[in-house]
Amino acid sequence: MEDVQKGQANIAMPIDRVGVKGLRVPMIVRDRESGTQHTVAEVSLSVDLPAEFKGTHMSRFVEALEDWSGDLDYNSFRTLLDDIVVRLQACSAHVRFVFPYFLRRKSPMSGASGLMDYTCRVDGELKDGKLTFTLGADVPVMTVCPCSKAISDEGAHSQRAEVRIRTRFDGFVWLEDLIEIGERAGSCSVFSLLKREDEKFVTEAAFANPMFVEDVVREAAKGLEDHPQIHWFKVEVESFESIHNHSAFAAIESTDG
């Protein structure tokens, strides 16, 4: 049958990335406490496309994913990217996995146990045989406004914020490491299950530790900077303001790649 994709493009212009997105697959990730954790990832796969080709072969992305082991680690991730490069006859390949990661958290006073879910991601680019591997986690925290606390006779406005961490590193880094760095950066952690004594503790702990969004991003950046394996990071904090019709945000990216 005719291979239309290999025909000449009407406009001879190279494409940086072309591929498929919105695929969902079961996946196994490393869990510091249990060894492994089963989850479901939303997947994007893409390659570069030279100017002379009309299109790429979309079905080959799905075939590569079908043949992938589903066990997420550096070696299997590299194997998937290598396979995509070969199947699509490309110079570069890109893969993204976005998935929920679950940790059981105990409430601070009652000890009540509840599952917290964190949106995590792995991004990979294989170009000219070199793999760039980026691991990230989005971590919810609570913040209390220092200015509001200083100028108010009673109380201060507080809100939930999200610490979005992206890292590159040598060796191995646990997702739990990134989550813990994010949680320590806020006024207080958030929990899925709180009894009355827990609510009292969380509220008072947060009000004793007021943080601007600028404070949170600096705390997170310092934690990432101090991690012995991490050699590059980007962290953004978004504060979902409770008294404004907008969010506040701050971001820091390290200079080393």
Side-chain angles (χ1 to χ4, degrees):
M1 298 178 68
E2 183 183 0
D3 190 346
V4 177
Q5 284 90 336
K6 282 195 173 181
Q8 187 173 0
N10 294 332
I11 299 174
M13 183 181 295
I15 297 175
D16 296 328
R17 293 191 185 188
V18 56
V20 297
K21 63 186 342 182
L23 295 164
R24 292 193 177 188
V25 297
M27 190 171 72
I28 302 171
V29 296
R30 299 292 181 266
D31 184 313
R32 191 167 65 188
E33 183 175 339
S34 304
T36 58
Q37 181 177 137
H38 292 257
T39 186
V40 175
E42 184 166 310
V43 187
S44 301
L45 310 169
S46 61
V47 294
D48 68 295
L49 188 69
E52 61 269 22
F53 292 137
K54 186 175 183 63
T56 194
H57 295 82
M58 298 294 184
S59 64
R60 296 180 186 177
F61 291 110
V62 182
E63 290 172 339
L65 196 59
E66 284 290 329
D67 288 342
W68 182 58
S69 68
D71 191 353
L72 182 62
D73 59 33
Y74 184 90
N75 291 330
S76 71
F77 199 68
R78 173 67 187 250
T79 298
L80 175 59
L81 283 160
D82 281 331
D83 190 22
I84 291 171
V85 165
V86 172
R87 287 177 189 263
L88 278 299
Q89 300 177 341
C91 294
S92 65
H94 316 83
V95 175
R96 170 174 291 173
F97 291 101
V98 180
F99 54 94
Y101 187 73
F102 294 89
L103 293 177
R104 186 163 293 280
R105 295 300 203 202
K106 287 188 177 181
S107 302
M109 299 303 292
S110 69
S113 177
L115 280 175
M116 283 285 296
D117 65 288
Y118 304 87
T119 299
C120 297
R121 67 180 62 210
V122 174
D123 286 276
E125 178 183 21
L126 185 63
K127 187 173 184 179
D128 298 326
K130 180 182 178 182
L131 173 59
T132 302
F133 183 92
T134 306
L135 180 68
D138 299 341
V139 184
V141 296
M142 177 183 177
T143 59
V144 172
C145 176
C147 179
S148 178
K149 181 179 177 181
I151 65 177
S152 301
D153 292 330
E154 295 185 21
H157 79 80
S158 60
Q159 54 275 317
R160 195 152 43 136
E162 189 169 69
V163 184
R164 300 171 187 142
I165 294 171
R166 307 290 181 261
T167 61
R168 297 178 192 142
F169 47 86
D170 301 312
F172 182 83
V173 169
W174 293 103
L175 283 168
E176 288 88 342
D177 289 354
L178 307 186
I179 291 167
E180 289 165 4
I181 288 170
E183 288 180 333
R184 288 196 297 266
S187 294
C188 189
S189 300
V190 299
F191 301 85
S192 61
L193 176 59
L194 293 173
K195 308 299 284 185
R196 278 177 293 180
E197 59 267 38
D198 300 311
E199 287 195 24
K200 179 178 186 297
F201 176 88
V202 167
T203 302
E204 292 176 347
F207 272 70
N209 185 33
M211 305 278 279
F212 289 127
V213 70
E214 296 95 330
D215 297 317
V216 179
V217 79
R218 286 171 173 146
E219 287 284 344
K222 184 64 167 62
L224 294 166
E225 189 176 65
D226 290 344
H227 194 289
Q229 271 76 51
I230 294 172
H231 61 76
W232 173 89
F233 66 82
K234 181 177 182 180
V235 57
E236 178 179 310
V237 179
E238 181 176 1
S239 176
F240 307 106
E241 297 290 284
S242 59
I243 64 169
H244 301 294
N245 190 28
H246 59 260
S247 293
F249 81 97
I252 295 176
E253 182 173 351
S254 68
T255 55
D256 293 335

